[in-house]
Amino acid sequence: MDAGVVDLSRLQFALTALYHFLFVPLTLGLSFMLVIMESVYVMTGREIWRQVTRFWGKIFGINFVLGVATGLTMEFQFGTNWSYFSHYAGDIFGAPLAIEGLMAFFLEATFVGLMFFGWDRLSKLGHLFVTFLVALGTNLSALWILIANGWMQNPVGATFNPETMRMEVSDFGAVLFNPVAQAKFVHTVSAGYVAASVVVLGVSAFYLLKGRWIEFARRSMVVAAAFGLASSLSVVVLGDESGYALTDNQKMKLAAIEAAWHTQESPAGLTLLGMPDTAARTTRYSVEVPWVLGLIATRSLDKEVTGMSELVLKAQERIALGIKAYDAVETLKADPSNVAARTQFEAHKRDLGYALLLKRHLADPRAATPQQIEAAAWDTVPSVPLMFWSFRLMAMIGFLMIALFATAFVVASRRKHLTTKWFLRLCVAAIPLPWVAIELGWVVAEMGRQPWAIEGVLPTFLAASSLSRSALWTTIIGFTALYGTLAVIEIRLILAAIKHGPVEHQEPTPEPGRIAALPLAA
C-alpha cells in the first residue's frame, strides 16, 4: 500500500470527522435542553417558556440538518476509503451502525417533523413526549456509533476466522457492554451537553448586553447555568472513568498522554507540564503532582503505571508470537485441515495483529530480523507531544467550563444578570471553547490509537482502499469546498435567527397615515 494514499485517506476521514463533530455536540445538548424548557412550559403554562423552547428548537433544527448531511458522508467513507477495514471487520463494526440507522436515526428523523410542525396539532403533553423522543433518538444515535468506535479501541466479543480471513462476532453482548464504549459514550454526550449549554449561555448573555428580550434571556440563562454546571462536572468525573478504562485496555495511549517513557513506581505522579523529547525519549522540565496519576489510572496508591519503553518490549514479544500465528494462517490457506497449524493458530491468534505491523517493513513477517521487529514495536508509540498537549488543553478547558457555569449559576440565582456585564462578555467569548476541547478529545482518542485501525488487530496502513492520490486529493478538495459552503450557510442562518430573536411573527410596519388609528383598532 502506498504510504501517501494511506496518509491522504486518514486526512480525508479526519477532516470529515472533525467537521461532522462541529454539529453533533450542539444537537446532543440542545435536544435535552429543549425537553427541560418545554417541561417547564407544560408545568407552568406560561407563554414565555413556549417562546424559549421554540427559539432554541429553531437553532436545533438548523444544526440538525448539517449534522445529518455530514454524518452520512462519513459513513460512506468506510466503503470507499477503507474497504479492507470494512471487509475485515464489517461483521462486527457494521452491526451497531445498522442498528443506529434502523432504530435511533429513524426515531429522531420521524419525530423531528412532529416536533417542529405539531405545536398547534398536538396537546402540550403530547408535544413534550415527541420532543423527548427526538432527544432520545439523538442520544441513541451517539450510543450506537460510539459502541462501534469503542470496539475499534477495545475489540472484545470477536475472533479472527482463518477460513474467511475476517473478524467475526463471538459475543455480541460483550460488544454492546464494552467498558471503553460505555465510558466514551457518557463522556462524549456530557461534552455535547456542555457545548449546547455554552451556546445558550452566550447567546442569552448577548441579548442581556444589548438589552433585548431580557425575560427570555434570563430564563434561558437559568437553564443553561444549571444544565451546564451538572454537565461540566460530569465531563470531568466521566473523563476520570475514561482514564481508568485506558489502564486496562489502552496502556500505550495512557503512557503517551502522560509522556511516561518509563514505568513509574507506585504511587505514580501526574505530569502537569513538561516538554516531551521524542528523540531522547524523555520529558524535560516536567512539573509533577505526586500520587495523582496512580489514583486516576489504577484507583490505588500501590500499583505502578507502565511506561512506553516497557510496553514496547511487550510489543516485541507479541510480534514474535504473532509471527507464529501468521505462519499458521498461511499454512491453513493451503491446507485448511492441517491440525498442527490450527493448534498453533489457536495458541497465538490474539497476537496476529502485531505480526501484521511488520508488513510496513517487509512483505512476509516470517522473514523479519530482530531490528525490524524492534522498529515495528516502536511503531506502536503514538505522537507523544501531540497527545501530551492535546490532553492538557482539553482538560484545562474542562475546568474552565466548571468555573464558568458555577459563576453563571450564582449570577442567575442572585438575579445579577444585568449588573455583571464583565461576566456576560466572558460568556459570549467562551462560546468556541467547548468545540476546541471536543476536537482535541477526538484527536486524543483517535491519534492515541495509532498505528491501529483496530487496536491490536489491524494496522491502519493495511485498512485503506487501493485508491490513487489524485482521486483522494480531488475528493478532499471537493469535500472541503462543499462543507465550507455549508458551514457558511449554517452560520449565517444561526446568526440570522439570533438577530431576529425569539419573536416568531414580526408586527407589520404601520403606514404613516394610519399611526393614530392603530390604538383604536387594537
Side-chain angles (χ1 to χ4, degrees):
M1 176 64 67
D2 182 355
V5 169
V6 175
D7 290 341
L8 287 174
S9 296
R10 290 180 61 192
L11 174 63
Q12 186 181 66
F13 195 86
L15 290 173
T16 52
L18 286 168
Y19 188 84
H20 174 60
F21 223 70
L22 291 175
F23 309 106
V24 171
L26 188 57
T27 299
L28 289 172
L30 273 183
S31 63
F32 267 115
M33 292 186 77
L34 290 175
V35 173
I36 295 171
M37 293 167 179
E38 191 169 354
S39 296
V40 178
Y41 168 60
V42 171
M43 289 186 292
T44 63
R46 299 185 65 182
E47 191 65 22
I48 183 67
W49 284 104
R50 173 186 165 106
Q51 189 181 49
V52 168
T53 306
R54 286 177 67 94
F55 174 80
W56 293 114
K58 184 190 301 182
I59 304 299
F60 169 86
I62 296 170
N63 191 76
F64 177 81
V65 172
L66 269 294
V68 171
T70 54
L72 291 174
T73 302
M74 190 170 64
E75 290 194 14
F76 278 121
Q77 283 190 1
F78 289 113
T80 57
N81 291 36
W82 302 96
S83 58
Y84 190 71
F85 169 86
S86 300
H87 165 79
Y88 198 79
D91 285 4
I92 307 100
F93 190 80
L97 295 184
I99 295 172
E100 185 269 335
L102 293 171
M103 177 204 292
F105 179 72
F106 277 103
L107 177 65
E108 60 180 325
T110 298
F111 286 99
V112 75
L114 288 173
M115 186 181 82
F116 284 113
F117 302 109
W119 279 98
D120 299 321
R121 295 173 175 83
L122 299 171
S123 66
K124 289 181 180 180
L125 199 58
H127 192 274
L128 173 61
F129 182 64
V130 166
T131 304
F132 171 75
L133 289 178
V134 171
L136 179 64
T138 299
N139 284 260
L140 283 176
S141 287
L143 172 63
W144 289 108
I145 290 170
L146 288 169
I147 284 175
N149 183 266
W151 182 81
M152 294 169 66
Q153 310 276 348
N154 181 35
V156 295
T159 185
F160 178 77
N161 185 346
E163 295 179 4
T164 62
M165 296 298 292
R166 303 174 67 192
M167 296 292 292
E168 296 177 355
V169 177
S170 58
D171 183 358
F172 193 61
V175 176
L176 293 182
F177 298 103
N178 184 346
V180 171
Q182 302 303 318
K184 284 176 69 66
F185 169 69
V186 292
H187 185 58
T188 302
V189 168
S190 296
Y193 295 168
V194 171
S197 299
V198 169
V199 169
V200 175
L201 190 72
V203 174
S204 301
F206 173 77
Y207 285 151
L208 291 172
L209 284 169
K210 296 295 183 179
R212 304 169 66 195
W213 299 296
I214 291 175
E215 292 305 310
F216 164 88
R218 288 176 59 185
R219 284 163 175 79
S220 295
M221 182 173 276
V222 168
V223 175
F227 192 68
L229 180 59
S231 301
S232 57
L233 289 170
S234 298
V235 166
V236 173
V237 172
L238 296 170
D240 171 70
E241 184 62 30
S242 296
Y244 182 59
L246 293 180
T247 306
D248 294 329
N249 304 294
Q250 293 181 298
K251 293 183 179 181
M252 185 64 81
K253 181 187 289 188
L254 177 65
I257 287 172
E258 291 305 316
W261 297 96
H262 302 284
T263 297
Q264 297 190 42
E265 297 181 358
S266 60
L270 176 72
T271 303
L272 278 181
L273 298 172
M275 297 296 293
D277 187 337
T278 304
R281 293 173 184 170
T282 187
T283 302
R284 305 184 186 279
Y285 316 113
S286 61
V287 178
E288 292 190 359
V289 180
W291 299 4
V292 174
L293 181 59
L295 290 172
I296 293 174
T298 67
R299 295 289 194 271
S300 69
L301 293 175
D302 58 356
K303 294 181 181 178
E304 63 183 20
V305 176
T306 310
M308 285 178 278
S309 297
E310 287 72 24
L311 290 172
V312 166
L313 293 175
K314 291 182 180 180
Q316 289 182 238
E317 295 175 5
R318 297 194 66 176
I319 290 171
L321 296 174
I323 292 173
K324 296 180 180 180
Y326 182 88
D327 179 60
V329 169
E330 292 298 307
T331 302
L332 289 170
K333 283 182 184 179
D335 181 12
S337 61
N338 190 310
V339 176
R342 173 68 69 171
T343 302
Q344 180 174 319
F345 171 75
E346 292 296 329
H348 304 293
K349 63 182 180 182
R350 65 182 296 270
D351 298 314
L352 175 62
Y354 279 82
L356 297 179
L357 289 171
L358 288 165
K359 283 186 170 289
R360 173 176 283 174
H361 304 277
L362 73 167
D364 189 345
R366 293 172 293 186
T369 64
Q371 292 77 17
Q372 289 171 323
I373 291 176
E374 182 181 1
W378 275 103
D379 287 343
T380 62
V381 179
S383 173
V384 177
L386 179 65
M387 297 291 293
F388 183 85
W389 288 111
S390 294
F391 178 81
R392 274 148 188 78
L393 288 173
M394 177 187 67
M396 180 184 70
I397 293 173
F399 285 109
L400 286 176
M401 290 298 100
I402 293 177
L404 179 74
F405 286 115
T407 306
F409 190 78
V410 172
V411 169
S413 300
R414 299 182 63 186
R415 300 181 181 275
K416 299 290 186 180
H417 303 77
L418 301 178
T419 59
T420 53
K421 290 190 175 183
W422 65 269
F423 178 69
L424 298 178
R425 295 188 185 97
L426 184 63
C427 291
V428 176
I431 291 177
L433 289 181
W435 274 269
V436 175
I438 287 168
E439 300 292 4
L440 288 172
W442 184 88
V443 169
V444 169
E446 300 307 307
M447 293 299 293
R449 189 180 69 240
Q450 297 307 313
W452 303 105
I454 306 169
E455 180 80 28
V457 172
L458 180 66
T460 302
F461 66 87
L462 291 179
S465 303
S466 299
L467 300 172
S468 66
R469 295 192 184 192
S470 59
L472 286 165
W473 274 118
T474 300
T475 51
I476 287 173
I477 294 170
F479 285 150
T480 302
L482 175 62
Y483 286 161
T485 303
L486 291 175
V488 171
I489 293 172
E490 189 206 8
I491 292 171
R492 286 179 67 102
L493 287 172
I494 289 179
L495 291 177
I498 293 171
K499 182 179 179 181
H500 182 270
V503 178
E504 297 180 12
H505 303 290
Q506 290 279 24
E507 293 295 329
T509 303
E511 298 176 13
R514 295 185 58 200
I515 294 177
L518 287 177
L520 295 177

